[in-house]
Amino acid sequence: MPIPLLNYSPSSRNHRVSGYEILGDEQPRIYTAEHLPSSVEMDALITAAYRQIFHEQQMLDCNRQPFLESQLRNGQITVRDFIRGLAISDAFRRLNYESNNNYRFVQICVQRFLGREVYNEREKLAWSIVLATKGLEGFIDALVDSGEYISNFGYNTVPYQRRRILQGRSQGELPFARMARYGEDYRDKLPLPITRKQIEPFNLQTFLRSSDRDVVLWLLASLLGVIVLFTWLTAFGYLPKFGGY
């Protein structure tokens, strides 16, 4: 028996209010395949889908899905199926799912698939339960098959951030692209970069001020003591002399 989605109360957000503003540069551009787009328009739609589902830093040729692109161009799948295919790809799993905990991954997916911010911590918990019980593919299916996704984007529109700018406000919601693609818990596990101090050439003044100075001086003093002891033992005949006849 499948576990139903945990109930959570939607808070009042801009995307829940019908907009009557005039479209401008601040409004998102809507990419849709409802009117049989040309090849150039289809290229722009596919690029917009990659930008929405993947982070700006993840838009690389190695992360592209040529098979899904070919199916979309030939009309074999809808834009919604294309979005679903990108989300369950190995590249998306490696770059987003495996580098985040469940709560942060849920927040990222709600932003990119539903075009809004999570309402509260209870919604994070609700979708995290779906992710833990149904896995990644089941979680993605629950998002793109939800009534909220269908009512806002349908089958042929690329998801976008809804109502980011609200008239009468000095500052709207920040773009979701500004959110880092992984959290601090994963960042702290990454190897530290090599700093300039680690690769700079040897400097005597810097060395004399370093913390390893005492250790090196102790080694030099020990070596000098061994040389002096060897010299004295040789001078008093305890050791044979080396040299020519």
Side-chain angles (χ1 to χ4, degrees), residues 64-217:
R64 297 187 62 175
Q65 307 296 320
F67 181 70
L68 290 176
E69 295 181 19
S70 177
Q71 286 184 314
L72 181 61
R73 295 179 189 276
N74 295 329
Q76 298 176 345
I77 59 175
T78 62
V79 175
R80 186 171 72 112
D81 295 330
F82 181 69
I83 296 295
R84 188 199 313 269
L86 294 181
I88 63 176
S89 62
D90 293 336
F92 186 84
R93 174 189 291 270
R94 183 182 70 256
L95 297 174
N96 297 279
Y97 177 68
E98 296 179 356
S99 60
N100 289 286
N101 56 46
N102 285 0
Y103 298 107
R104 186 178 178 86
F105 181 72
V106 163
Q107 182 180 5
I108 291 176
C109 290
V110 170
Q111 292 176 350
R112 300 183 185 181
F113 293 95
L114 300 183
R116 62 170 175 85
E117 186 59 85
V118 292
Y119 292 128
N120 43 47
E121 295 297 325
R122 188 171 179 84
E123 185 181 15
K124 286 185 182 181
L125 178 61
W127 286 112
S128 297
I129 294 175
V130 177
L131 177 61
T133 55
K134 297 184 178 180
L136 178 59
E137 295 187 10
F139 169 68
I140 298 300
D141 290 339
L143 281 177
V144 299
D145 294 338
S146 63
E148 182 178 0
Y149 183 97
I150 298 298
S151 60
N152 288 282
F153 308 116
Y155 294 90
N156 295 300
T157 302
V158 177
Y160 55 90
Q161 186 172 354
R162 295 178 277 154
R163 304 278 337 261
R164 187 175 72 85
I165 303 298
L166 186 63
Q167 301 297 330
R169 290 182 53 176
S170 59
Q171 182 179 3
E173 296 180 354
L174 295 177
F176 295 150
R178 293 192 177 186
M179 181 177 177
R181 64 181 178 89
Y182 50 78
E184 296 179 357
D185 52 346
Y186 180 79
R187 182 198 61 189
D188 296 339
K189 299 178 183 178
L190 298 177
L192 296 177
I194 299 177
T195 61
R196 181 180 179 182
K197 183 179 180 180
Q198 293 174 310
I199 60 176
E200 64 182 1
F202 177 77
N203 190 330
L204 181 59
Q205 295 180 354
T206 304
F207 167 74
L208 293 177
R209 294 193 302 266
S210 64
S211 59
D212 297 335
R213 177 187 56 187
D214 297 337
V215 177
V216 176
L217 293 178

Side-chain angles (χ1 to χ4, degrees), residues 29-53 59 69 72-73 77-80 82-83 86 155-159:
R29 181 178 177 181
I30 300 177
Y31 295 88
T32 179
E34 293 180 353
H35 306 291
L36 297 177
S38 61
S39 59
V40 177
E41 295 174 341
M42 182 60 71
D43 292 339
L45 185 147
I46 292 175
T47 303
Y50 279 109
R51 185 181 298 109
Q52 177 67 20
I53 303 305
M59 293 183 60
E69 295 181 19
L72 181 61
R73 295 179 189 276
I77 59 175
T78 62
V79 175
R80 186 171 72 112
F82 181 69
I83 296 295
L86 294 181
Y155 294 90
N156 295 300
T157 302
V158 177

